[in-house]
Amino acid sequence: MEECIFCKIAAGTIPCRKVYEDERVLAFEDIQPMAPIHIILIPRRHIDTLMDADAEGMADLQAMMVAARAVARLKEVDARGFRLVINCNEEGGQVVFHLHMHLLGGRKLRDGLA
């Protein structure tokens, strides 16, 4: 996807502050954090939304969950607590149409996103 910002980040053409990466997933710091720790996890392969995930996309989601656990440990919120969020489509709050997950933590989180 030539115009997808997350595809460009995954390809390395747009820089990011990487936190974690493997063959399926890239995790990086959000540029507009909503909590002291706000990490974006994306599959390297483009999938528009959660609803577009096929069998391979489900494998990407599983890899994202494994990566989220690793990131929580790296950011030292694994024992204290954190929140994982996937927004789906416009009314669900999705802004970038490349499947992604937010990992939020670093303080007691309120009701709602952060």
Side-chain angles (χ1 to χ4, degrees):
M1 299 293 292
E2 291 178 16
E3 297 169 19
C4 173
I5 191 166
F6 285 173
C7 286
K8 290 177 181 178
I9 290 170
T13 57
I14 293 178
C16 69
R17 293 185 310 234
K18 289 182 191 175
V19 174
Y20 173 94
E21 67 181 318
D22 63 27
E23 64 280 349
R24 292 189 96 108
V25 178
L26 175 63
F28 52 92
E29 293 183 18
D30 193 297
I31 61 170
Q32 295 179 323
M34 298 181 74
I37 296 170
H38 188 165
I39 307 299
I40 302 294
L41 296 100
I42 63 169
R44 291 186 179 276
R45 191 171 67 93
H46 184 88
I47 303 166
D48 284 339
T49 75
L50 177 64
M51 299 308 296
D52 297 306
D54 56 12
E56 190 67 18
M58 290 298 157
D60 288 333
L61 279 162
Q62 181 178 8
M64 289 168 67
M65 292 302 241
V66 170
R69 289 170 44 130
V71 169
R73 287 185 193 103
L74 286 168
K75 291 295 188 175
E76 299 178 345
V77 294
D78 53 321
R80 292 171 41 210
F82 58 95
R83 181 174 293 162
L84 296 175
V85 177
I86 296 176
N87 298 323
C88 186
N89 285 317
E90 195 171 322
E91 285 190 19
Q94 187 173 4
V95 176
V96 177
F97 284 82
H98 180 124
L99 177 64
H100 60 285
M101 179 172 21
H102 301 261
L103 184 148
L104 300 136
R107 65 168 163 78
K108 180 143 177 75
L109 299 172
R110 302 179 305 269
D111 290 341
L113 181 60

